[in-house]
Amino acid sequence: MTGAKVVERMEDRKEEMTNKEYSIILFAIYKVLGPGAKGLGSAIGEEILHAMMDEYGLSFEGSDDPQELLNRFTEVMINTFGFAERGEIIKDGNKVTLKLDNPMDLYALQLLEKKGMRPVLYPIANAIAVAIKKFNGKNVLIKEIRVSEKHVEVDMLILG
């Protein structure tokens, strides 16, 4: 194996371990707090949103169109933040659906399901909820988190 391949493999392994560590921490929060973990959603979402705005250049300036705001969020989440291989946020009336392929926290959600626990907290969805509240003044309810082998979908409802 060449030196470049070794460095590339080390970088891949480092990213894989970081994702797994993040997942284990998220799983531990669920394990300790159970359904009470949902109460952390706004605080976690707010911190993620601030990081995406301050460190990764997410900007909502110049638009009040909810779908455009969600598209900007998706672009930074995928292309800059690197949270998932692919993703989209679909707004249909007061319903919002987040669809992600291979998100970095997939392992944590799969661990929860193996242990018979239902996910009630999804940090990126919480960040979306905070963004909608901040820029449209409306609260968002995270209704359902669905997990499959390689995908996560989150249904949200914009209230009011």
Side-chain angles (χ1 to χ4, degrees):
M1 191 178 279
T2 67
K5 293 257 184 213
V6 170
V7 169
E8 183 179 325
R9 175 64 184 131
M10 287 174 58
E11 287 299 315
D12 289 346
R13 183 77 176 132
K14 180 179 166 184
E15 182 178 331
E16 180 183 317
M17 289 307 297
T18 300
N19 291 346
K20 196 166 245 184
E21 288 171 8
Y22 168 79
S23 290
I24 289 169
I25 290 167
L26 188 59
F27 176 73
I29 290 170
Y30 273 108
K31 192 173 178 181
V32 171
L33 298 177
K38 193 171 192 169
L40 296 174
S42 277
I44 291 171
E46 196 169 307
E47 292 305 316
I48 290 173
L49 181 62
H50 285 300
M52 290 176 77
M53 292 176 78
D54 296 343
E55 298 173 32
Y56 297 101
L58 177 61
S59 172
F60 297 115
E61 299 300 319
S63 177
D64 58 357
D65 175 40
Q67 187 62 57
E68 185 179 334
L69 298 176
L70 295 171
N71 291 345
R72 290 180 188 182
F73 188 98
T74 303
E75 184 179 324
V76 171
M77 175 182 62
I78 302 298
N79 298 333
T80 308
F81 200 57
F83 186 77
E85 286 179 9
R86 195 177 82 66
E88 64 180 326
I89 304 171
I90 303 159
K91 183 180 178 303
D92 181 17
N94 66 341
K95 291 174 54 178
V96 176
T97 301
L98 168 65
K99 296 182 177 188
L100 298 171
D101 294 343
N102 290 317
M104 65 174 26
D105 57 0
L106 182 61
Y107 181 74
L109 298 172
Q110 290 170 338
L111 274 176
L112 285 172
E113 288 199 339
K114 279 183 189 176
K115 302 285 183 181
M117 299 168 73
R118 199 175 130 253
V120 294
L121 170 72
Y122 198 71
I124 288 294
N126 292 109
I128 292 166
V130 170
I132 291 170
K133 173 72 173 174
K134 183 173 183 163
F135 295 99
N136 285 4
K138 296 185 178 182
N139 291 320
V140 176
L141 172 68
I142 296 175
K143 291 180 58 177
E144 183 180 10
I145 301 166
R146 291 180 301 284
V147 182
S148 66
E149 185 178 331
K150 300 277 184 189
H151 311 283
V152 173
E153 288 190 14
V154 182
D155 289 332
M156 297 171 268
L157 184 64
I158 300 173
L159 306 173

